[in-house]
Amino acid sequence: MARQFFVGGNFKANGTKQSVKSIVENLNSEELPKDVEVVICPPALYLGLTVDLNKQPTVEVGAQNVFDKACGAFTGENIAEQVVDLGAKWTLTGHSERRTIIKESDDFIAEKTKYALDKGLKVILCIGETLDERKSGITLEVCARQLDAVSKIIKDWSKIVVAYEPVWAIGTGLAATPEDAEETHKQIREHLAKTIGEDQAEKIQILYGGSVNGKNAPEFKDKKNIDGFLVGGASLKPEFVSIIKSRL
Ligand code: 13P
């Protein structure tokens, strides 16, 4: 079955009011393909600004992180209800920078994912192995463990997109080869078929992330299990548009 091509842009903790404005205005000025789902995730501080500036019907806005509880005494957290209130439709959860730098656990990420879905957000759930884990040959084991924490408490995956982002490929310029990425995506889908059922596994979009740019994006075009990209650095540049158009 055909899954819709999906391109996410994760700005990470980058930018200023002015640079975010120019990224969104640049997207507004382009004729984007109607059949590509695009989600941009600016820093939380610029979420409202981004939602207000965005005029593209195929572009939605997401947070990069949310907490697993409602408003309250949680200094500094992003609350899902407030993200919704600003008009954003998505959030990332489980980005490797939060798993490794902030030390978020699989279970905490699963709880955040559940809370975000319960509050009406769609979720890009990020998974992926570190270089050491890859060298030890446990890539699939790691991805399976990260996914299982979520499938343990969430049965309906229709509002989840999975982003496979090998940590060693993020921000390094060393993208996985399209063949390697396809192989891992295929194994991830097979694992999901066992845990959430074949029907849901067949429908779910699995994105590749890690050093995707305007030049290498078309190389992933014919890969059956790669349904799009989650882009970091290149989403801050005009080449993000070439990635969105890479399947034309
Ligand atoms: P880069 O595209 O900068 O490698 O980052 C990928 C990523 O982490 C997107 O979430």
Side-chain angles (χ1 to χ4, degrees):
M1 64 157 287
R3 289 174 292 266
Q4 185 154 37
F5 186 52
F6 187 115
V7 178
N10 174 10
F11 299 179
K12 308 196 178 184
N14 290 302
T16 59
K17 255 189 334 192
Q18 190 48 49
S19 70
V20 169
K21 187 166 179 267
S22 22
I23 293 171
V24 181
E25 284 177 347
N26 180 50
L27 283 173
N28 286 344
S29 71
E30 292 282 342
E31 198 172 322
L32 298 181
K34 296 203 174 19
D35 56 351
V36 181
E37 244 180 304
V38 180
V39 174
I40 47 174
C41 302
L45 296 171
Y46 302 132
L47 262 177
L49 174 73
T50 306
V51 169
D52 293 346
L53 288 170
N54 174 38
K55 303 286 175 248
Q56 278 286 2
T58 57
V59 175
E60 291 187 327
V61 180
Q64 297 172 13
N65 173 47
V66 286
F67 199 43
D68 67 341
K69 292 181 180 60
C71 295
F74 305 114
T75 305
E77 284 298 338
N78 293 346
I79 301 300
E81 286 91 330
Q82 294 174 329
V83 171
V84 171
D85 186 38
L86 284 174
K89 305 271 191 261
W90 291 82
T91 185
L92 306 181
T93 56
H95 192 279
S96 68
E97 283 142 25
R98 299 203 63 86
R99 292 181 188 268
T100 59
I101 304 170
I102 318 286
K103 309 273 185 263
E104 290 187 0
S105 69
D106 296 339
D107 287 340
F108 184 39
I109 291 161
E111 289 297 339
K112 287 167 174 243
T113 304
K114 182 167 189 322
Y115 194 84
L117 291 170
D118 286 349
K119 297 302 154 198
L121 289 170
K122 295 176 273 188
V123 174
I124 302 175
L125 169 66
C126 306
I127 59 168
E129 82 287 6
T130 63
L131 184 58
D132 282 349
E133 289 165 338
R134 183 165 194 90
K135 284 185 180 156
S136 319
I138 56 168
T139 295
L140 187 65
E141 215 173 290
V142 171
C143 293
R145 192 199 71 220
Q146 294 170 344
L147 291 166
D148 291 352
V150 178
S151 59
K152 209 166 63 185
I153 59 169
I154 294 169
K155 301 300 161 205
D156 177 1
W157 283 57
S158 60
K159 302 282 189 299
I160 299 179
V161 170
V162 170
Y164 168 62
E165 302 203 303
V167 179
W168 47 272
I170 296 179
T172 58
L174 294 171
T177 65
E179 291 68 32
D180 282 351
E182 167 62 19
E183 181 54 28
T184 308
H185 280 224
K186 183 166 163 277
Q187 292 173 347
I188 289 169
R189 201 179 298 285
E190 285 166 359
H191 180 77
L192 285 172
K194 284 188 228 142
T195 53
I196 62 170
E198 275 180 29
D199 188 43
Q200 294 206 92
E202 191 51 36
K203 285 186 185 140
I204 198 161
Q205 290 150 305
I206 307 180
L207 317 180
Y208 167 72
S211 297
V212 174
N213 56 44
K215 199 153 163 255
N216 63 15
E219 296 168 13
F220 294 79
K221 206 174 185 155
D222 304 321
K223 300 295 175 228
K224 220 169 96 213
N225 287 288
I226 301 180
D227 306 308
F229 304 111
L230 183 56
V231 183
S235 69
L236 302 167
K237 303 181 191 158
E239 72 183 285
F240 187 53
V241 173
S242 324
I243 302 173
I244 296 171
K245 294 181 175 174
S246 65
R247 294 232 167 149
L248 292 181

